[in-house]
Amino acid sequence: MPDPRIAHIELDEATIIWRNADIEQERRIAIFDLIEENSFTPLRASAAGHHGPYHLRLSVEDGRLGLTIGDDTGQHLETVILGLGRFRRPIRDYFAICESYYQAIRRASAQEIETIDMARRAVHNDAAAMLLEKLEGKIATDFATARRLFTLICVLHIKG
């Protein structure tokens, strides 16, 4: 029976140079939420008869995102490579707004926190829509999954 979802996700730890407690919490939440609920169908693997669940490994090398997809036993099925040039600004904007958000939750009023959080969600949503465009024809997924994947892509870009 088809089960088009990510059952296991791994980040290339060699890619992650630095992260603080706030970023580590974002990573944990994104992975937990992603595993709990997602929609993920790599189109070539699906056409070859693999219908999930999938193992996914994310890595960044030479400015490109690698999505290494395996079957439920971890056996390699395919690797999807995406250029990240269009994501540089959204990633930078997301880092900046997250930093403002983390500072605000420690010191600001509820209204200020809400305003920053709305801006953070807007950047996140725009980047998720962009990711959906980049995945078109390669991986079928939904908006919520794309949002969580974008969070993990950002974690891979932290330089400290």
Side-chain angles (χ1 to χ4, degrees):
M1 175 168 222
D3 191 6
R5 66 181 176 86
I6 300 166
H8 175 81
I9 188 155
E10 173 187 346
L11 302 182
D12 177 13
E13 291 295 325
T15 304
I16 303 169
I17 296 172
W18 174 89
R19 60 182 172 228
N20 64 24
D22 293 324
I23 298 301
E24 181 60 20
Q25 180 68 6
E26 291 278 328
R27 182 196 66 79
R28 280 193 304 268
I29 290 169
I31 288 174
F32 178 83
D33 289 348
L34 189 63
I35 297 302
E36 285 294 307
E37 182 180 345
N38 69 80
S39 173
F40 187 86
T41 304
L43 300 180
R44 281 186 296 196
S46 182
H50 300 280
H51 302 293
Y54 300 101
H55 285 218
L56 177 64
R57 183 172 191 273
L58 299 177
S59 62
V60 174
E61 189 173 322
D62 298 327
R64 297 181 309 192
L65 175 67
L67 295 99
T68 304
I69 303 162
D71 64 15
D72 60 342
T73 67
Q75 180 72 27
H76 183 266
L77 298 174
E78 67 175 288
T79 300
V80 174
I81 305 292
L82 301 177
L84 288 172
R86 288 184 58 203
F87 288 95
R88 282 191 183 98
R89 182 172 184 154
I91 289 168
R92 187 176 60 242
D93 291 350
Y94 188 68
F95 282 149
I97 199 104
C98 282
E99 184 59 32
S100 296
Y101 177 76
Y102 298 139
Q103 290 175 10
I105 59 175
R106 292 178 180 97
R107 298 184 193 104
S109 70
Q111 185 177 5
E112 291 169 319
I113 293 168
E114 185 177 334
T115 300
I116 293 169
D117 193 43
M118 287 173 46
R120 181 174 79 136
R121 275 187 254 138
V123 169
H124 206 165
N125 288 344
D126 290 347
M130 190 183 310
L131 181 57
L132 283 172
E133 285 176 24
K134 295 283 275 180
L135 292 174
E136 192 171 330
K138 298 170 183 74
I139 297 172
T141 191
D142 62 2
F143 188 74
T145 301
R147 281 185 100 253
R148 292 172 184 130
L149 288 172
F150 176 72
T151 300
L152 296 175
I153 292 166
C154 286
V155 170
L156 291 172
H157 280 81
I158 295 170
K159 301 293 187 225

